[in-house]
Amino acid sequence: MIRILFFLLASFLTFSVSAQNTARWLRYPSISPDGTTIAFGYMGHLYRVSSTGGNATAITTGDAHDMRPVWSNDGKMLAFASDRHGNFDIYTMQTMGGSATRITFNTADDYPYDFTADNSKVLFGSGREAPAKSVRFPSARLFQNLYVVPIAGGRPELLSAAGAEEAHYSKDGSQVVFQDRKGYEDPWRKHHTSAVTRDIWMYDIKKDIYEQLSNFKGENREPVFSADGSSVFYLNEKDSTQNLYKMNLASRKEQQLTNFTNFPVRHLSIANDGTLAFTWKGDIYTLKEGSQPQKLKVAVMDDAGFAATENMDINTVTEFAVSPNDKEIAFVNRGEVFVTGVDDSRTKRVTTTAAQERMVSWSPDGKTLLFSGERDGSWNVYKVTLDRPDEDYFYASTVLNTAVIVGGDEEQFQAKFSPDAEKIAYIKERNILVVMDLKSGKKTIILPEGHNYSYSDGDWNFEWSPDSQYIMADDQGGYFFSTNTAIIKADGTGEIVHPVNGGFGEENAKWALGGKMMTYESSREGRKSLANQGSAENDIYGVFFDQEAYDKYELSKEEFELLTDREKKHKEEE
């Protein structure tokens, strides 16, 4: 009986330790050429584990973010990306660990994809400027090009300027398969079918010929050659979830190999024996063709991937909003909302979640704080209020109440109170402007879909008029680079009015003179290229909505003398 009890206790302790150290949300698994080992990223560091799972061993340590490990074809070396000198550069090291050698030094981020067939060079992608006639568009922000660099470092050589990512060589090194990049889009976005969704291409290096392999009008990603070079494995969303597919290069016949739902398969790699490795929902899986995917149980038994708790200065504030009484400042730091006093040194942390929060704004009386949070699978608008009547300031509060004010499956964020505090306006699904009456809950679309194209949070803006009757909003009018300012009635009636509608657009528009004037920035006199390339001088202009206000608008002699000759000329013409 004692022996049985001891055995059960030992089993329980073993299970508990294993459960506590089971690693989740592993990234970029790379299976070794012999199929026995997988290198992966976890908590900003690199680890190696058996391809059947088990306890993982740390390969890198330190404060840097290390990711994207790639094996050499002989299994003796790893290439990986690290930001230990600022941006991501490429390093090489022995597969068992040791000192790393930095082999790229450009200010653009560099990411390794593969080794050349003879293991002498690393194939990598970079957004650095490419002086090639074949480059699709001279923009490091939009396109990555393919380069090779010696494993010990040296001058990188341009392999392709066609806008390529996630590239891999065939076994003999004569061909490269890759996903293209036609323009900017969030690489983690799911289910979109825009003009910039990725396709799979094959590049014959000797013949300098490109051939498109995929034809699905959605995402096609992360291709790798099969072990014998007769097929390509890749990921796409044909069945509404990104899954693993195989394409025979001779017949172009496709076969679906996995049937996961609700979450995309990512980070595909392959061994010489055909074993595939990838992630789904943060776990590593392996797959041998004809079998079912096998989930690996991976345990991290050391603390190399866990940063020690430390006090940090708040020096990465990404946005802030001053309260109407000028006594408090709400700000976002590392994805959390804080409120600090202006004349008081106290700071209150408002949110403590695994989700990210952004876009803070105050109610007119300063008693309510709005923010946007990515919780429950979508962006929602939340309000925070003081719980105790005897407390006047957020930064000195003891209890705060947080509640959803605009929720649902749709993306809804960037909310702002009207000056009369009776309504809020917010952006829905990135390009729709909505006004909600707080008393009735009625929602009115005042700027419909199709006017703006949004690629990043907060990349277009709107402002309430002082009388709460109108909203001034950015309006691209369906164009990509140019933004004009629209004035819209907050109740949704009437037409959308563009008071300027200039060919060079209006930016950063603001209400002035109590709503009788609009100020904005424009580059129309700044010699800006008509191709929208390069920087240009911006000047500030004003538009009057009221004749009386225009007539009363005068510059003092001192102010007039400060104007440039060009601005004087404009004033005299007016």
Side-chain angles (χ1 to χ4, degrees), residues 231-284:
S231 303
V232 168
F233 297 95
Y234 67 102
L235 311 175
N236 75 21
E237 294 180 320
K238 287 185 178 181
D239 68 341
S240 77
T241 297
Q242 187 164 285
N243 268 295
L244 174 59
Y245 286 75
K246 177 183 179 181
M247 175 188 290
N248 183 287
L249 292 177
S251 65
R252 299 301 169 89
K253 183 179 180 180
E254 295 175 297
Q255 177 186 0
Q256 185 172 346
L257 301 182
T258 63
N259 295 279
F260 293 100
T261 59
N262 302 324
F263 201 87
V265 173
R266 291 189 172 122
H267 309 143
L268 181 63
S269 67
I270 189 170
N272 288 338
D273 65 358
T275 302
L276 296 152
F278 54 86
T279 63
W280 184 73
K281 268 193 174 180
D283 291 306
I284 296 176

Side-chain angles (χ1 to χ4, degrees), residues 80-387:
F80 63 95
S82 177
D83 66 354
R84 56 191 67 185
H85 288 284
N87 58 287
F88 282 102
D89 287 300
I90 296 175
Y91 294 74
T92 56
M93 68 187 308
Q94 298 298 311
T95 55
M96 298 302 293
S99 61
T101 301
R102 184 182 180 185
I103 63 174
T104 66
F105 298 84
N106 197 274
T107 54
D109 289 331
D110 301 329
Y111 302 108
Y113 297 139
D114 204 351
F115 281 76
T116 55
D118 62 1
N119 298 309
S120 65
K121 298 178 181 179
V122 175
L123 173 68
F124 70 95
S126 178
R128 61 185 69 185
E129 295 291 346
K133 294 181 180 180
S134 60
V135 68
R136 292 185 176 188
F137 189 84
S139 171
R141 178 174 175 267
L142 295 179
F143 298 106
Q144 283 194 343
N145 301 307
L146 296 180
Y147 298 82
V148 290
V149 62
I151 59 172
R155 184 183 296 276
E157 301 174 17
L158 179 67
L159 178 67
S160 171
E165 299 174 317
E166 307 298 342
H168 293 276
Y169 283 107
S170 58
K171 287 301 177 185
D172 62 3
S174 64
Q175 296 174 312
V176 172
V177 66
F178 63 89
Q179 68 182 38
D180 67 3
R181 182 166 175 169
K182 307 178 185 71
Y184 174 77
E185 184 51 78
D186 187 336
W188 305 108
R189 183 180 176 187
K190 301 183 285 291
H191 309 308
H192 76 292
T193 55
S194 70
V196 297
T197 51
R198 296 151 181 86
D199 279 301
I200 306 300
W201 291 73
M202 188 164 59
Y203 174 46
D204 189 301
I205 299 174
K206 186 175 181 180
K207 296 179 180 178
D208 194 24
I209 295 175
Y210 293 86
E211 183 181 6
Q212 183 173 332
L213 301 181
S214 62
N215 55 22
F216 171 63
K217 301 300 182 182
E219 287 288 16
N220 304 273
R221 297 188 175 197
E222 303 184 33
V224 294
F225 280 105
S226 62
D228 60 7
S230 65
S231 303
V232 168
F233 297 95
Y234 67 102
L235 311 175
N236 75 21
E237 294 180 320
K238 287 185 178 181
D239 68 341
S240 77
T241 297
Q242 187 164 285
N243 268 295
L244 174 59
Y245 286 75
K246 177 183 179 181
M247 175 188 290
N248 183 287
L249 292 177
S251 65
R252 299 301 169 89
K253 183 179 180 180
E254 295 175 297
Q255 177 186 0
Q256 185 172 346
L257 301 182
T258 63
N259 295 279
F260 293 100
T261 59
N262 302 324
F263 201 87
V265 173
R266 291 189 172 122
H267 309 143
L268 181 63
S269 67
I270 189 170
N272 288 338
D273 65 358
T275 302
L276 296 152
F278 54 86
T279 63
W280 184 73
K281 268 193 174 180
D283 291 306
I284 296 176
Y285 286 75
T286 59
L287 174 67
K288 291 188 176 181
E289 197 171 351
S291 303
Q292 293 298 312
Q294 301 297 312
K295 184 170 75 171
L296 273 59
K297 293 182 179 179
V298 178
V300 174
M301 306 303 292
D302 58 63
D303 64 352
F306 297 88
T309 301
E310 58 180 320
N311 293 322
M312 303 175 67
D313 292 334
I314 299 175
N315 56 7
T316 56
V317 174
T318 53
E319 60 177 279
F320 66 90
V322 181
S323 66
N325 61 11
D326 297 328
K327 298 292 186 180
E328 302 181 270
I329 300 175
F331 64 89
V332 177
N333 182 68
R334 300 183 182 91
E336 302 290 350
V337 178
F338 297 79
V339 177
T340 190
V342 173
D343 300 318
D344 192 299
S345 61
R346 284 175 289 180
T347 298
K348 176 74 173 183
R349 183 169 181 170
V350 177
T351 64
T352 306
T353 70
Q356 54 181 325
E357 284 90 24
R358 300 180 188 172
M359 306 172 189
V360 290
S361 64
W362 293 91
S363 62
D365 62 2
K367 299 299 184 181
T368 302
L369 184 66
L370 298 180
F371 69 88
S372 303
E374 191 180 24
R375 305 177 186 178
D376 301 321
S378 65
W379 281 92
N380 300 312
V381 179
Y382 297 83
K383 67 174 181 179
V384 186
T385 54
L386 298 165
D387 181 72

